[in-house]
Amino acid sequence: MLIYCDRYGRLGNNLFQLSTLISGSIRSNFRLLNFYFLINYKCFRLPEYSHELKKQYFRISGSILFNKLINRILLTFLHFIYRNGFGKILNICFRNCNNDKDPFDLNDKRFISDSKKGILVLSGWYFFDREGFTENSALIRKLFSLRPDFENRVMKFISQFDGFLKIGVHIRRGDFRVAHNGAYYFDDDFYIRRILEVRDLFSSSIPLVFILYSDEPVRLESASPVNIAYGIGDEIVDLYSMSCCDYILASNSTYACWASFIGEKPMFLLDKGSTITKLEEFRICRYYIPDHPVFAD
């Protein structure tokens, strides 16, 4: 059994972490115990489709606070057993995946063996299973589709733009000011230039709307006429309405990469030297190895 008992990062990271572990457990046939996943867990259809996972995945409770308590008690107990020399007897081991320079491959034979024959406690989020994720991508999309009440909120918002070709623009700043040495931190002028470049790829007869999504107040103003709208500021509704857009412009963020993956919509990954010259530069994100999105050929 593999116990994954923590959450790292924000929503996009959480989604790729758990879906990677679920797909890995299916591919390698080990049990996965998830103490707590997301405050937003109730948004997804994962619980109602859990029967399709052949009992390989289960949770303790829907309560984050309760799971934190159980998590602490169980980990304290497992660490106590391990420190007192019973780890090998009971096949208990721990794996830390915090090395951002060398993400851990879940297809490692010893890792799979430890997950099957005993209890393996996994921490960190620098792990990946590209093969398992690819094999189970259709199931992942099904498990992490939205429940009807949340889907209705998404469709209520995005239906305002029926008849338009929709380009979702994810503007993330905040921690990006210092993360990756500021490589993905862009000012308003940068986004305006990229928006105008995308606009110029289409005939003037095609109605376009650029829908801006951000976790902070954003208002872009352009001297050239551009139809701009804004997400509603709800983490789930914005993410899944972005996945309904025809194209996505974004920096290296798991949030936007998940929108591209879940909606199978092509995205352009922005960097400091970006210039958008053709639509073929937009590609669908198929997976996300920590800090390295994987795109369709």
Side-chain angles (χ1 to χ4, degrees), residues 22-24 26-27 131-141:
I22 289 175
S23 57
I26 295 171
R27 188 169 192 260
E131 293 82 3
F133 192 94
T134 300
E135 289 176 10
N136 293 284
S137 58
L139 176 60
I140 293 300
R141 290 188 179 96

Side-chain angles (χ1 to χ4, degrees), residues 166-185:
K166 298 175 283 292
I167 296 95
V169 183
H170 182 224
I171 299 177
R172 179 172 172 180
R173 292 185 176 136
D175 59 328
F176 269 21
R177 185 183 295 273
V178 294
H180 307 286
N181 296 317
Y184 302 111
Y185 181 86

